Amino acid sequence: MAILVTPQTRVLVQGITGSFGAKHAQLSLDYGSLIVAGVTPGKGGQFFEHGSHKVPIFDTVEEAARQTGATVSAVFVPPPFAADAILESADAGLALVVAITEGIPINDMIRVKSKISGGKTRLIGPNCPGLVTPGEGKDSLGGCRIGIAPGYIHKKGNVGVVSRSGTLTYEAVWQLTSRGYGQSTCVGIGGDPVNGTSHLDVLKMFNDDPETEAIIMIGEIGGSAEEEAAEWAGAHCKKPIAGFIAGTTAPPGRRMGHAGAIVSGGKGTAEGKIAAMKAAGIAVAETPSVMAETLLQLWGKL
Amino acid sequence: MNIHEYQARELFQKFGVASQKGKAAFTPEEAEKAAQELGAEQIVVKAQIHAGGRGKGTFKNGFKGGVHLCKTPAEVRHLAEQMLGQTLVTHQTGPDGRLVKTLLVAEAVDISRELYFAILFDRETSGPMVIASTEGGVDIESVAEHSPEKILRIPIDPFLGIQPYQTRKIAAALGLRGPLMTQASKLFTALYRTYIESDCTMVEINPLVVTPDGRLLALDAKFNFDDNALYRQPAIVAMRDKAEEDPREVAASEFNLNYIGLDGNIACLVNGAGLAMATMDIIQHSGGKPANFLDVGGGATKEQVSAAFKIILGDKAVKGIMVNIFGGIMDCNVIAHGIVDAARETGLTLPLVVRLEGNNVEAGKHTLAESGLALLSASSMADAAAKIVAAVAAA
């Protein structure tokens, strides 16, 4: 089953003709994902060609979705235009928008989030690596890869991974795959302070997904999303969860790369998050080197 | 990004936020002229640096205090002569201090009440929030901790903006009645416009003062801006004073590298912000002290890796380097060549531990092994951290 997307999910790419969007559309096609449309205003009627693939390009998301049956959009549009791109996909009625773009102004995202909340479109990101539901093939080919994660490190299986950070997600996934444990779905929710989907949202989906048997949750300093997710998990989650929080050594008041990774006014510290997770029965990895190992121990696999 | 106090006042003037009269001066002559124009009974002269603790600071020429009260333009000029072009050391500047290039010459106002007013981006509500308190002029975080009932929080609808009834509600809670309520409504509305139109993440007025003659004034302000929005705020970008920033961070930003200097001695070079933080953590966990945060990004080029090495090596406290790359899409061999070239160019003699994982990793490891450089390869993040901590301890 997996969550959010399956290998059958039909995906469109906003910004498919930009260099970043084009490169990752190609990698997704190589992975076997159904990239069925591209959207670049002014280039409607052209095609995005890659190997034997010929993906039609449309001027608007609405046309692309209607003519190709796409239900999910990947947004690779540059920051000044990204908020508009997300709103366009929500207006077209897509089920899911995955915003990869890094650097969208906070005030833009505040309005986007406020506008789409309560509607039928779920937003993941922005400033995120996207999501992967691994496929059955060699190196997990044949899965659904939306965004910028390396596909080949995955393996089809039963661990759900949710994280604010791209490379830490890859690290966890690779540790799992190297030990023979695959993933149901891996979701990067992004490093911005205003995002569409939280750790808690994803934990609830993993909890309800029959294919997911165990969960790795990776967080970092800033905000209180990890604490909220942990509190819910302690009371409701039926599945073993291991976690890791980055930023124990980060100085307060400094933004650590991600716009949302900042300890301010004594809030959002790694210590507070780790304590909340431990109190909820989540096994917290001492170092990022042992994320998979920590889960496998809790899960009774070691 | 931070701005100077005199620049904050410029923003206030632009948006109509009431504050005391004042002017920036770059020479003693300008300072004297500014004082004449003010025509105030009492004048305050303030050194313009980003660090706090100015009043109790000392200039390297022996002159005491970065903030002075005086009465005549001649006195202002005399003060300016001793402050401009001199280096001010405060408890926040470190021993190097900061060069004072600008003074703020302002009307010194008498104060009957000190209040607190801020607008900031609130993560929990994903929107702007007003924070107000009758306890101004003190550290607001300690007020929040010891008497939370004295802190008023009003969320603002991002589509409506601050509404007149909300400004009256805040004014009433602050005890601003009669003519002061009208002034408060105007000031809060103007400040909200400043916040939104300048893409701030925080504007803090502490203190917001009531004078004995019945004026409401924003006496001191602190601004934070959204870095993501600077592309559409050229007037704010023009206020950036690079001399006030860590030179290593300025150099890094020129190469689109995310660098933050810390006080340890093990430098790290990593791809991805989360992994970069985790690398600092694992260095500390292994008994070392990280010298920096450095994220070279997902698509780092050879030039960026080389620039990153130079910035790291510019920090004389650094005694060893740990490179931690998870090359998902990026080719580990390209990174390996970048490391080898950078190490050669910079004549690296410090211990270097490299952990590569991911795409084309075998070729990358081969490149490192064949380079003839005295670097150590690591099989995992934990292994890399242990090796660099041991190497630095042995050196």
Side-chain angles (χ1 to χ4, degrees), chain A residues 240-251:
Chain A
I241 308 176
F244 176 73
I245 299 291
T248 305
T249 51

Side-chain angles (χ1 to χ4, degrees), chain B residues 120-355:
Chain B
L120 49 81
F121 158 65
D122 179 60
R123 287 173 81 137
E124 278 169 48
T125 55
S126 286
M129 177 82 78
V130 166
I131 313 279
S133 174
T134 51
E135 306 300 296
V138 294
D139 175 23
I140 197 68
E141 276 156 22
S142 76
V143 178
E145 198 183 325
H146 300 296
S147 28
E149 74 286 352
K150 288 186 175 159
I151 306 255
L152 176 71
R153 296 165 62 87
I154 309 248
I156 308 296
D157 183 305
F159 293 109
L160 292 175
I162 198 166
Q163 295 297 295
Y165 79 87
Q166 291 177 311
T167 63
R168 295 192 298 272
K169 188 172 163 183
I170 300 159
L174 295 178
L176 300 169
R177 307 281 179 176
L180 279 171
M181 184 174 267
T182 314
Q183 287 184 54
S185 280
K186 190 164 169 276
L187 191 148
F188 299 160
T189 306
L191 202 65
Y192 186 77
R193 267 193 64 211
T194 315
Y195 174 88
I196 292 293
E197 292 182 25
S198 309
D199 276 307
C200 300
T201 52
M202 184 185 78
V203 184
E204 181 186 59
I205 308 295
N206 192 19
L208 171 71
V209 303
V210 179
T211 64
D213 55 354
R215 290 184 293 160
L216 182 70
L217 301 173
L219 210 58
D220 203 357
K222 192 173 172 218
F223 280 78
N224 282 341
F225 299 95
D226 175 10
D227 290 342
N228 287 353
L230 289 177
Y231 74 87
R232 63 185 179 197
Q233 297 290 349
I236 303 295
V237 175
M239 292 180 174
R240 182 173 174 191
D241 183 353
K242 288 185 183 170
E244 291 282 343
E245 298 173 23
D246 184 327
R248 299 170 298 179
E249 292 175 21
V250 174
S253 71
E254 278 158 21
F255 288 91
N256 273 325
L257 298 165
N258 243 315
Y259 174 96
I260 292 172
L262 303 170
D263 54 8
N265 58 7
I266 299 179
C268 47
L269 186 161
V270 190
N271 66 328
L275 193 61
M277 265 187 277
T279 303
M280 289 161 39
D281 296 346
I282 203 167
I283 288 171
Q284 177 134 318
H285 186 83
S286 310
K289 281 203 84 182
N292 64 278
F293 167 92
L294 175 55
D295 169 17
V296 295
T301 61
K302 206 176 131 257
E303 288 70 32
Q304 279 179 308
V305 173
S306 175
F309 261 85
K310 284 174 193 152
I311 290 159
I312 284 174
L313 293 170
D315 180 349
K316 294 300 162 215
V318 169
K319 299 289 177 245
I321 302 172
M322 168 172 166
V323 174
N324 185 13
I325 300 286
F326 194 103
I329 304 291
M330 101 167 85
D331 186 331
C332 286
N333 199 23
V334 172
I335 293 291
H337 279 293
I339 295 167
V340 170
D341 290 354
R344 284 199 183 122
E345 269 177 49
T346 52
L348 182 74
T349 51
L350 297 174
L352 169 66
V353 175
V354 181
R355 182 264 180 158

Side-chain angles (χ1 to χ4, degrees), chain A residues 261-274:
Chain A
I262 180 166
V263 173
S264 54
K267 286 187 189 156
T269 63
E271 290 73 16
K273 290 172 191 291
I274 290 167

